[in-house]
Amino acid sequence: MTEGLHIADIVAGYGRRRVIDGLTLPPVPPGTVVGLIGANGSGKSTLLKTLAGLIGGTGHTRLGDHDLRRLSPALRARLVGYLPQTVMRPSSLAVYEVLLSALRATWPELTRARADQRIEAVLADMAVTDLAMRPLGALSGGQRQMIGLAQVLVRAPRLMLLDEPTSALDLRWQLSVLERVRGEARDRRAIALVAIHDINLALRFCDRVVVLGEGLIAAGPPAEALTPAVLRRAFGVTARIETCSHGRPIVVTDGVAAGAIRDQEDIP
Amino acid sequence: MSVAATSALGRAYARRTRGRTLTLIGLAAALAGSLLLDLATGASDMPLGTVLAGLWDPAAAEVGVRVILWDVRLPQALMAVLVGAALGLAGAEMQTVLANPLASPFTLGISNAATLGAAIAIVAGFHIPVVGPEWTVAVTAFAFAMAATVVVQALARTQGLDGGGESLILFGIAMVFVLNALLWLVQFLASADALQQIVFWTMGSLGRSTWSTVGLLAAVVALCFPWAMRHVWAMTALRAGEEHARALGIAVGRMRVLVLLRVSLLAGVALSFVGTISFIGLVGPHIARLALGEDHRFYLPGAALGGALVLSLSSVVSKSLVPGLVLPVGIVTALVGIPAFVALILLQRRRP
């Protein structure tokens, strides 16, 4: 299979410190939303930055026929949309200008009318059309985070790398943003890698999850990969997977597990 | 039908764009008016009609009018416009790549470095062989301004700037103090004659303008402005944050090097001809940001026009404040600029 995203033997870090040491993931087919789960410092952001080409590293990363590590910056910016964890800085730049400059920087050949249409469509899809002419400085942190995501979606990348896109959002917007990301993946057969802290959101919206710890802890469909043992190893907590009254799995956390980090023998 | 309905936002934005174009035209018209006013103001009375006639047909004008207009006032008035435009553009670009609205050639010590260079050249009294005596001070000032930019550049490279580049501004203030101390040292060692020259240089004056310095600065502005305009989209994207811009495939580090190179060229050449003229690089971009926003297609020309307008008006004020006396224009810009600077600091504090 040459389609989809292939990641093998990635080694990456900052300076001399290796955060990811030889990570290999199962191939990801097009149209898939993958949730990246793991404790703070487990390498979620580092993995996303490596794939986005923002930090160096070694290993194989292929998207379809493209070797991600050898792409020119211009082509990479078209194929790969990375949303940093840091929210956009407040400035007097209008939301519309943020999206327009993103399009101009990545798709310079697009006509003005086409660019306008794309921007309109994305803002309407995310239900933030009323923010279009407001300056970033007049928006809340959560609103700026959504504009950051809109700036990724407007470029229509084949691989979306989203670093905690819902961290500043309230409940309703968390749902609608993830809904949008999933729709985007389905409609355009794009792949989304989403670093996410809320495990129940991951259970609900992701087709697959990847649990990172000291290396790869588990990978697969969320209901299979997220077991009490995996959660104990990844976060050092005792947790149960229950079924809610609608029949969906939910994770209930009971507390911090004693000696959980060293106690790994119970993982097969 | 549906196309018309979905492009409402596009139309709203096009309206805003038209409004900004009109604002730019308005600024340019104001600048033209200020330039004429500047030409009509001076020690000897010259009505606007005489100025226009003398500009239109120099051969028909009286000799006195022709000499005053073409050899004295026109180079000075054009110098005010060019220096203002150069400093405004330099300040705007600097604020974008250093992510701080307080960055400018003046606040980061670049103009102080130029002053120190000029003072050393005046006191030492050396001549750079090829350059000739009348250009030596300017060339030395330029070299010092360049060196200061290299230091700023090195610091910008080692420090992360996504936090607002506060350490950079503090470093700039430290640099201003160090350079001032060195300037005092040079002044202390200078002869009375050299001291007078240094003090005059420090106050910033358009009086030394000649057609050759005007021509050289015009060439620098004509080179740097279109060069800057080629990167307007990337600079606009950078305003949303460095990581976001890098994710768009913009080579932020490389852009920062190029911009600071342009800034040192613009500010270095401008300051080396007129001495210390403060705050234009801060006020020009601020006017543009308020009037036009930060879409760099409008922001950069707006900052250049804003800087030119403020310096041109300052030149008019410097000639008309005390009848029969031309004050150094640097004094006027400092008095106008300091309130603006304080307002900027207070506004920045209020932001979350």
Side-chain angles (χ1 to χ4, degrees):
Chain A
M1 180 177 82
T2 58
E3 272 197 317
L5 177 68
H6 300 256
I7 295 173
D9 304 322
I10 290 195
V11 177
Y14 307 91
R16 282 207 192 137
R17 194 165 61 89
R18 279 187 181 182
V19 181
I20 298 176
D21 200 355
L23 179 71
T24 300
L25 299 183
V28 182
T32 312
V33 177
V34 181
L36 287 181
I37 294 173
N40 296 325
S42 59
K44 304 185 295 290
S45 295
T46 309
L47 176 61
L48 293 178
K49 282 184 195 167
T50 311
L51 294 175
L54 294 182
I55 57 176
T58 58
H60 304 286
T61 52
R62 220 173 62 237
L63 178 68
D65 299 327
H66 300 283
D67 182 347
L68 282 183
R69 298 168 42 74
R70 293 190 185 181
L71 289 180
S72 67
L75 186 55
R76 187 181 2 237
R78 283 190 180 200
L79 290 173
V80 181
Y82 167 64
L83 176 65
Q85 197 174 351
T86 47
V87 173
M88 283 187 166
R89 201 189 299 136
S91 71
S92 61
L93 217 55
V95 167
Y96 199 87
E97 285 160 350
V98 172
L99 301 195
L100 190 61
S101 63
L103 269 184
R104 279 280 175 270
T106 47
W107 297 90
E109 75 275 23
L110 217 59
T111 64
R112 190 48 199 278
R114 284 289 302 138
D116 280 347
Q117 276 174 13
R118 271 211 203 180
I119 294 170
E120 295 236 13
V122 166
L123 290 176
D125 275 347
M126 295 185 67
V128 289
T129 307
D130 53 323
L131 302 182
M133 295 296 152
R134 304 253 300 270
L136 285 183
L139 305 186
S140 71
Q143 286 171 324
R144 286 204 305 277
Q145 188 168 43
M146 283 199 281
I147 300 312
L149 181 64
Q151 193 235 47
V152 170
L153 295 182
V154 79
R155 285 140 59 192
R158 278 175 59 192
L159 174 62
M160 292 179 273
L161 306 169
L162 313 176
D163 201 346
E164 296 186 28
T166 56
S167 60
L169 303 181
D170 66 31
L171 268 179
R172 178 184 152 214
W173 287 109
Q174 288 180 4
L175 297 184
S176 91
V177 155
L178 289 173
E179 199 79 69
R180 193 61 234 131
V181 170
R182 191 161 65 176
E184 199 59 26
R186 298 279 143 79
D187 299 346
R188 295 193 297 102
R189 292 183 48 76
I191 294 173
L193 252 60
V194 187
I196 195 163
H197 267 305
D198 188 326
I199 295 171
N200 283 313
L201 278 178
L203 269 172
R204 181 156 168 192
F205 284 101
C206 299
D207 306 300
R208 301 181 170 205
V209 293
V210 167
V211 186
L212 296 178
E214 301 279 312
L216 181 65
I217 293 180
E224 292 168 28
L226 292 173
T227 62
V230 163
L231 292 173
R232 183 184 169 89
R233 193 170 149 198
F235 297 101
V237 296
T238 51
R240 289 167 282 141
I241 318 289
E242 302 282 349
T243 305
C244 78
S245 57
H246 289 196
R248 289 206 191 99
I250 56 166
V251 170
V252 180
T253 321
D254 291 320
V256 175
I261 305 298
R262 262 161 283 138
D263 181 22
Q264 288 171 358
E265 284 76 23
D266 53 345
I267 310 281
Chain B
M1 188 69 194
S2 73
V3 173
T6 54
S7 65
L9 266 187
R11 280 204 308 278
Y13 188 67
R15 264 201 307 283
R16 181 177 283 198
T17 305
R18 267 198 304 282
R20 286 174 175 170
T21 310
L22 287 179
T23 310
L24 273 187
I25 292 172
L27 269 177
L31 179 60
S34 157
L35 180 66
L36 280 179
L37 195 61
D38 198 6
L39 289 175
T41 318
S44 61
D45 237 8
M46 201 184 280
L48 210 53
T50 317
V51 170
L52 287 171
L55 285 178
W56 181 254
D57 187 4
E62 286 173 50
V63 180
V65 168
R66 193 165 69 217
V67 169
I68 290 177
L69 196 59
W70 283 86
D71 294 349
V72 181
R73 289 195 189 170
L74 199 55
Q76 290 186 15
L78 288 178
M79 198 60 163
V81 168
L82 286 170
V83 169
L87 293 180
L89 181 61
E93 287 199 73
M94 215 167 181
Q95 290 174 14
T96 294
V97 295
L98 297 180
N100 196 310
L102 295 178
S104 81
F106 182 71
T107 39
L108 289 182
I110 293 173
S111 67
N112 296 72
T115 307
L116 180 64
I120 288 175
I122 291 169
V123 169
F126 61 81
H127 299 317
I128 302 171
V130 191
V131 177
E134 72 265 46
W135 290 74
T136 296
V137 171
V139 168
T140 317
F142 175 69
F144 272 67
M146 275 293 214
T149 319
V150 170
V151 173
V152 171
Q153 166 71 41
L155 199 81
R157 188 175 282 212
T158 52
Q159 297 272 336
L161 290 169
D162 250 353
E166 261 167 27
S167 56
L168 196 75
I169 298 298
L170 291 177
F171 177 80
I173 291 168
M175 196 134 108
V176 168
F177 281 120
V178 170
L179 290 167
N180 268 340
L182 290 174
L183 180 65
W184 291 331
L185 182 66
V186 173
Q187 287 176 334
F188 183 73
L189 298 174
S191 66
D193 189 37
L195 185 62
Q196 197 184 352
Q197 277 191 62
I198 295 173
V199 168
F200 194 63
W201 207 92
T202 315
M203 287 190 286
S205 162
L206 298 163
R208 292 182 292 269
S209 314
T210 64
W211 279 109
S212 44
T213 55
V214 167
L216 188 61
L217 184 56
V220 169
V221 173
L223 169 77
C224 289
F225 182 67
W227 185 13
M229 290 304 283
R230 286 187 57 202
H231 300 112
V232 283
W233 287 114
M235 280 197 247
T236 304
L238 184 58
R239 284 303 292 141
E242 182 165 348
E243 251 193 330
H244 289 268
R246 286 180 64 203
L248 285 170
I250 295 165
V252 177
R254 197 169 140 257
M255 187 161 91
R256 190 169 287 138
V257 172
L258 281 180
V259 163
L260 289 180
L261 180 71
R262 272 203 298 274
V263 166
S264 63
L265 202 62
L266 285 165
V269 172
L271 294 171
S272 65
F273 292 151
V274 295
T276 312
I277 289 186
S278 52
F279 292 113
I280 297 294
L282 208 60
V283 175
H286 192 56
I287 290 174
R289 198 174 294 124
L290 283 179
L292 298 154
E294 281 180 289
D295 180 341
H296 280 56
R297 289 177 298 164
F298 301 100
Y299 173 58
L300 291 187
L305 284 175
L309 181 61
V310 172
L311 190 52
S312 184
L313 287 175
S314 299
S315 166
V316 175
V317 171
S318 75
K319 284 192 273 189
S320 41
L321 212 54
V322 183
L325 187 69
V326 180
L327 296 175
V329 74
I331 295 177
V332 178
T333 62
L335 289 178
V336 174
I338 286 168
F341 184 66
V342 172
L344 265 180
I345 294 175
L346 294 178
L347 277 175
Q348 205 192 23
R349 275 282 161 79
R350 212 185 300 158
R351 207 171 258 169

